[in-house]
């Protein structure tokens, strides 16, 4: 890491951001709603920077486009199919995330802040899971006082676990004592994985091979042969641990039975009222709505009415009435917004992947590389999670997506801009003092 970057990292603004980032990640798994209030001053700060200094790099405009594409795709549908501004509430968190990105992108984070925050979060998640499952005897983890839901709690515990694994495997060349980081990262990975297992969130487990692949593939400390061997060993270890868990085996067996029951008789009320059967029913219902309206969908404003009609007509089980999405992001977009909305989702994933992938620093495997990898883990992880859930299905999960995109994006922007465009960084800091 060059000297100018190290000197800039000593600013008062950066010290404040370090405290904020550590705090926000640590309390995310405990008080997800509170993170919105704690983020509000940083968001206002970002708005102030955007209005007053107007120093934007192409990367800033590109990330703004990433944050706007999903809200705009929903807004685009409403003049044609009816207005429902509630549908914009959660996607608009991405716009708020842009202003967090803008602040961090100008002042940066000190080394290891994101890593330490992820390790703290996974340890807290593990303690919550133990308390709920072992002490309280709950079958699944819903967060303290049900502040989360079992599915996003397990998914984001798993995602933060891979932030820890990435931090353990990617150590800067100038780190003279890497072992504490390696041990802490592996411990955080184990805690996050255990919290995910105790949550019983089956859909998230499907992402594990892909997240392992990312952590190994983008570690340039290792030769290609060593990366292949580590990939096999790590996957084998995770599969072995999960195979020995009665909880995991029971959840997988239950899902398999429910799929077979649904495929044998999709109209059987008993088969449709299981968790897996209901998902399959919703997917089928959503695809049918897309077939009827391929270019506009049924509209976001009419979803509640059509959902109620489907239940009243016995087309869907009664439990469908309480679901605000179809538990699959692509099918939900196809059903409600048609092809344009679904294409916007794919474009969001593609652009976000490109933003982080182009910032990978393969010559200096350090913090910039780590931040970029965390961004890729978030995109791939949440993308795969959304195949059985929704990107914005819960308030807690929406805040987690916003933070786990904005923080790595801002940090990697600062590290990258300090090398590529040092004038833009120094001018912003000079104007703020």
């Amino acid at each position: 890491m060059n000297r100018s970057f190290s000197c800039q990292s000593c600013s008062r603004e950066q010290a404040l951001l370090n405290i904020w980032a550590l705090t926000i990640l640590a309390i995310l798994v405990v008080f997800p709603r509170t993170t919105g209030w704690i983020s509000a001053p940083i968001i206002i700060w970002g708005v102030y920077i955007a209005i007053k200094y107007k120093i934007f790099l192409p990367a800033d405009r590109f990330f703004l486009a990433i944050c706007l594409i999903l809200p705009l795709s929903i807004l685009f549908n409403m003049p044609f199919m009816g207005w429902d501004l509630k549908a914009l509430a959660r996607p608009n968190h991405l716009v708020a995330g842009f202003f967090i990105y803008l602040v961090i992108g100008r002042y940066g984070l000190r080394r290891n802040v994101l890593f330490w925050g992820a390790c703290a979060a996974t340890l807290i998640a593990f303690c919550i899971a133990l308390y709920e499952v072992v002490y309280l005897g709950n079958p699944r983890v819903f967060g303290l006082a049900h502040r989360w839901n079992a599915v996003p709690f397990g998914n984001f515990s798993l995602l933060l676990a891979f932030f820890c694994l990435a931090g353990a495997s990617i150590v800067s060349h100038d780190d003279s004592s890497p072992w504490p980081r390696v041990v802490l990262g592996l411990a955080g990975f184990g805690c996050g994985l255990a919290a995910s297992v105790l949550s019983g969130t089956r859909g998230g487990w499907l992402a594990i091979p892909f997240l392992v692949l990312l952590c190994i593939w983008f570690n340039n400390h290792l030769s290609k042969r060593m990366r292949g061997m580590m990939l096999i060993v790590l996957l084998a270890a995770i599969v072995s641990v999960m195979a020995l868990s009665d909880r995991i085996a029971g959840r997988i067996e239950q899902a398999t039975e429910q799929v077979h029951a649904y495929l044998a008789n999709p109209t059987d009320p008993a088969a449709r009222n299981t968790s897996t059967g209901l998902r399959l029913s919703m997917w089928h219902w959503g695809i049918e709505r897309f077939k009827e309206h391929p270019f506009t969908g049924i509209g976001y404003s009419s979803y509640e009415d059509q959902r109620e009609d489907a239940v009243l007509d016995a087309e869907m089980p009664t439990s469908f009435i309480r679901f605000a999405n179809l538990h699959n992001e692509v099918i939900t977009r196809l059903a409600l917004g048609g092809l344009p909305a679904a294409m916007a989702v794919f474009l969001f994933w593609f652009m976000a992947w490109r933003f982080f992938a182009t910032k990978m620093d393969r010559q200096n495997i350090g913090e910039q590389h780590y931040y970029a990898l965390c961004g890729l883990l978030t995109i791939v992880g949440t993308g795969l999670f959304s195949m059985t859930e929704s990107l914005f299905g819960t308030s807690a999960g929406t805040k987690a997506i916003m933070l786990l995109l904005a923080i790595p994006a801002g940090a990697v922007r600062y590290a990258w801009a300090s090398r590529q465009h040092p004038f833009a960084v120094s001018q912003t800091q000079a104007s703020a003092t």
Side-chain angles (χ1 to χ4, degrees):
M1 197 171 293
N2 62 33
R3 181 173 296 178
S4 62
F5 181 74
S6 299
C7 291
Q8 292 164 358
S9 68
C10 299
S11 67
R12 292 174 302 170
E13 292 85 357
Q14 190 184 82
L16 178 63
L17 287 173
N18 293 333
I19 296 171
W20 172 82
L22 283 171
T23 303
I24 208 79
L25 291 171
I27 70 170
L28 176 61
V29 294
V30 187
F31 305 108
R33 290 184 181 274
T34 306
T35 60
W37 294 104
I38 298 176
S39 300
I42 307 299
I43 295 169
I44 295 171
W45 189 4
V47 173
Y48 173 76
I49 288 175
I51 294 173
K52 185 172 180 63
Y53 301 123
K54 301 177 183 177
I55 300 175
F56 288 98
L57 298 178
D60 302 335
R61 293 190 287 270
F62 191 79
F63 191 74
L64 177 60
I66 293 170
C67 295
L68 285 173
I69 187 169
L70 293 182
L72 287 179
S73 71
I74 296 173
L75 191 62
F76 174 78
N77 179 268
M78 291 182 182
F80 305 100
M81 302 301 294
W83 294 89
D84 182 12
L85 296 181
K86 292 185 297 182
L88 289 168
R90 288 178 180 170
N92 275 341
H93 279 68
L94 293 176
V95 181
F98 170 75
F99 295 107
I100 294 175
Y101 154 88
L102 207 57
V103 177
I104 298 176
R106 269 28 180 207
Y107 300 106
L109 295 175
R110 286 185 64 83
R111 292 190 52 161
N112 296 326
V113 167
L114 180 58
F115 173 68
W116 290 333
C119 290
T122 53
L123 175 60
I124 294 170
F126 178 61
C127 291
I128 292 172
L130 282 181
Y131 173 74
E132 290 205 27
V133 175
V134 177
Y135 181 76
L136 297 181
N138 296 334
R140 301 185 68 185
V141 184
F142 287 85
L144 293 179
H146 279 236
R147 292 188 180 95
W148 278 81
N149 176 286
V151 173
F153 180 87
N155 285 344
F156 284 100
S157 295
L158 182 67
L159 184 55
L160 286 164
F162 277 93
F163 277 30
C164 298
L165 181 63
S169 61
I170 295 180
V171 182
S172 179
H173 289 299
D174 60 1
D175 195 336
S176 59
S177 181
W179 287 110
R181 176 174 176 141
V182 172
V183 172
L184 183 61
L186 292 177
F189 173 71
C191 287
L193 183 62
S196 176
V197 169
L198 291 173
S199 75
T201 306
R202 296 170 297 206
W205 301 338
L206 299 175
I208 289 176
F210 299 94
L211 299 179
V212 169
L213 180 61
L214 281 176
C215 287
I216 300 300
W217 185 256
F218 287 106
N219 188 339
N220 282 7
H221 283 316
L222 306 173
S223 65
K224 289 185 178 180
R225 181 179 179 182
M226 183 60 69
R227 273 182 275 176
M229 291 177 61
M230 284 193 66
L231 179 63
I232 294 171
V233 170
L234 193 54
L235 284 175
I238 293 174
V239 169
S240 299
V241 169
M242 299 186 79
L244 294 173
S245 170
D246 293 336
R247 176 179 294 271
I248 294 174
R251 292 286 292 164
I252 294 175
E253 182 180 358
Q254 181 187 54
T256 303
E257 291 173 354
Q258 291 172 357
V259 169
H260 288 161
Y262 179 84
L263 294 178
N265 187 1
T267 60
D268 181 10
R272 293 197 300 175
N273 274 309
T274 63
S275 60
T276 306
L278 180 58
R279 275 180 170 80
L280 294 173
S281 297
M282 289 192 293
W283 297 352
H284 179 263
W285 184 86
I287 291 171
E288 291 300 314
R289 304 291 79 75
F290 165 66
K291 289 180 180 178
E292 294 170 2
H293 307 279
F295 297 107
T296 62
I298 61 175
Y300 296 88
S301 62
S302 65
Y303 172 62
E304 289 186 10
D305 292 337
Q306 295 216 24
R307 184 180 60 194
E308 292 176 4
D309 292 341
V311 171
L312 291 174
D313 296 340
E315 182 184 359
M316 291 291 289
T318 305
S319 53
F320 179 47
I321 201 72
R322 59 188 175 89
F323 288 103
N325 61 79
L326 304 179
H327 281 56
N328 181 295
E329 189 66 27
V330 175
I331 293 177
T332 299
R333 298 295 173 182
L334 286 171
L336 303 186
L339 278 174
M343 291 173 63
V345 173
F346 287 116
L347 189 58
F348 167 77
W349 286 329
F350 171 77
M351 292 175 65
W353 172 276
R354 186 174 182 273
F355 176 87
F356 289 108
T358 56
K359 305 299 186 298
M360 301 293 283
D361 188 358
R362 297 180 180 274
Q363 281 69 45
N364 179 25
I365 308 299
E367 290 302 288
Q368 179 180 332
H369 194 85
Y370 173 65
Y371 295 138
L373 178 54
C374 286
L376 294 181
L377 288 170
T378 299
I379 290 301
V380 173
T382 56
L384 292 170
F385 298 158
S386 71
M387 293 300 98
T388 53
E389 285 300 316
S390 170
L391 276 174
F392 310 108
T394 64
S395 174
T398 299
K399 290 179 175 62
I401 289 175
M402 181 264 284
L403 290 170
L404 297 186
L405 273 180
I407 294 175
V412 76
R413 186 269 188 199
Y414 177 81
W416 173 77
S418 296
R419 294 182 174 91
Q420 304 295 324
H421 302 278
F423 177 76
V425 175
S426 60
Q427 282 294 100
T428 301
Q429 292 184 334
S431 299
T433 57

